[in-house]
Structure formats: structure tokens, C-alpha cells
Amino acid sequence: MKSLKMMFLGAGLLALCSCAPQGSQKEAGAEEAAQDRKNVVIETIMARRSIRKYTDQPVEREKLQQIVECGINAPSGMNKQPWEVRVVDNADFINGITEEYKKANAKATEDPNFKNMFRNASAVIFIASPKDGSGQFDCGLLGENMMLAAQSLGLGTCCLGGPVYFMKSDANAAPYVAKLDIPDDYELLYAIAVGYPDEAPAAKPRETAKVKFVE
């Protein structure tokens, strides 16, 4: 009887010893996985650059869809989501409005590498916000989400203000703006060129002195 008890005790201790390391291993594995995910996010942020040269390769619709879904999951005040997003990968649209741009900006044609007014990107994402200016901050968060998502998918991006200014101010661009079908109480805020990068610029210096911890 005593030997039987000792046998059960030994089996219990063996089971206890074998379970504890497994649990620890699982916890360690989960912690490492979480750390890896964190590192991927940080690496993506630190690797993002403004790309101003793109290849002719079209961006897949699936990737564009992922990018805009990441965009609209950005935070916004009271979850109002004060943005309108339009994705254009139609070459006829991009080339057509570029022709109007060239008429008003003859110098653009002097660059032998100039193909379109969106830094030659094959896709453009237009962001519109309420005319009263209430959504501009939230639209900035939206855009950053999209640019980081694009970076993680092997794509490059560049925020563009000049082309949007042209589209809002030149009468010949009006038909193209109309095609975007933006609500009357919204207006174009900025655009994001999206494409496969044809350059790998180095990071520009950042002014770390502007960041201070308050004790």
C-alpha cells in the first residue's frame, strides 16, 4: 500500500514538473510573438519614406483595398469619421488630368522623366474633409495609417498638396473633380501617390531636441 502511494505521488510530481515548463514556454512564446509584432510595426514606421519615383507596375486592387481599410480604421473624434476617400487607378483619369496640368504648368514637360502629375505613381488616393475644417486632424490620422499600410505591403507613398490645389483652382480640372463624386459639404484636402518605388531614399535628419520629457 505504501509503495502504491509512493508511485502515485511520484507520478503526480512528474506531471507537475512537466506541466510547469510547458506553461512557461507557452507564455514565453506568446511574449516573443507579441514582441515580434511590436518590432514589425516599429520597423515599418522607421522605414517609411516619401517616394517621388515609381515604376510602371500597377498596384493590385487587393493591396489598395487593404490600404484604405487600414485608413478608415484610424481614430477620429467621437468616431465621426469625417472623411471621404476616393481611390483612382484608372490610367485614363490620371493621364487625362495630367494633360490639363501640363497646359497650366509647361515646365513640367521639361523633365524627361515626367509622366503624370502624381509623381508618376500608378494609383492615387484622394482624401476629402468637411469644408468647415473640422475633419482635418482626423484625415491626417487616416492618411498616416494608409501610408504605413502601404509600406508594409512593399509599396511607396507620397503626400501631395500641389496637384490637389491645381484640381481645386483650375477650371479645366473640374470634370475630373466631379468624377470623384465628393459630397457638396466636403472638399479635397490632399492626395497620396501610391506605387512600387523606383528609389530608396535615405532617412532625413529628425530634430530629436524637440522632444522633451517633463519631470
Side-chain angles (χ1 to χ4, degrees):
M1 186 71 176
K2 184 175 180 181
S3 61
L4 185 61
K5 287 182 179 180
M6 291 296 293
M7 183 177 69
F8 280 122
L9 179 61
L13 288 172
L14 179 62
L16 182 62
C17 291
S18 63
C19 285
Q22 287 178 359
S24 299
Q25 288 174 359
K26 287 181 180 178
E27 289 175 7
E31 186 176 346
E32 286 180 9
Q35 186 65 33
D36 287 342
R37 286 194 296 272
K38 179 182 178 182
N39 289 343
V40 168
V41 173
I42 292 173
E43 287 172 7
T44 299
I45 292 171
M46 300 304 289
R48 187 211 60 80
R49 304 285 183 270
S50 293
I51 301 299
R52 295 176 174 85
K53 294 181 181 179
Y54 297 90
T55 68
D56 294 330
Q57 182 180 350
V59 179
E60 298 85 346
R61 279 280 177 100
E62 292 80 6
K63 289 187 176 182
L64 291 171
Q65 184 65 40
Q66 282 185 297
I67 289 168
V68 295
E69 285 181 3
C70 287
I72 63 175
N73 273 280
S76 63
M78 299 179 68
N79 195 35
K80 288 185 176 181
Q81 304 176 47
W83 47 60
E84 289 286 335
V85 181
R86 301 292 183 268
V87 184
V88 176
D89 59 356
N90 183 328
D92 290 338
F93 183 107
I94 292 173
N95 294 335
I97 194 167
T98 294
E99 288 304 312
E100 300 300 335
Y101 179 81
K102 286 160 63 176
K103 293 175 185 176
N105 300 272
K107 282 191 175 182
T109 59
E110 295 176 5
D111 181 356
N113 298 315
F114 181 86
K115 296 177 183 177
N116 72 52
M117 61 188 283
F118 305 105
R119 297 289 182 177
N120 299 345
S122 59
V124 189
I125 301 174
F126 294 98
I127 294 92
S129 64
K131 288 182 177 178
D132 63 8
S134 61
Q136 292 187 6
F137 180 81
D138 296 327
C139 284
L141 298 174
L142 167 94
E144 182 69 4
N145 265 24
M146 291 195 286
M147 289 187 290
L148 292 177
Q151 175 70 30
S152 74
L153 295 172
L155 298 166
T157 57
C158 187
C159 273
L160 303 172
V164 167
Y165 175 79
F166 167 77
M167 293 173 70
K168 292 166 64 174
S169 61
D170 193 290
N172 292 326
Y176 294 93
V177 176
K179 287 182 181 180
L180 297 178
D181 192 27
I182 295 170
D184 291 339
D185 56 341
Y186 275 65
E187 63 180 352
L188 285 176
L189 184 61
Y190 65 98
I192 300 175
V194 185
Y196 283 92
D198 197 23
E199 64 173 353
K204 294 182 179 179
R206 302 294 172 174
E207 297 184 35
T208 56
K210 290 188 173 183
V211 180
K212 297 181 180 180
F213 286 84
V214 179
E215 301 297 344

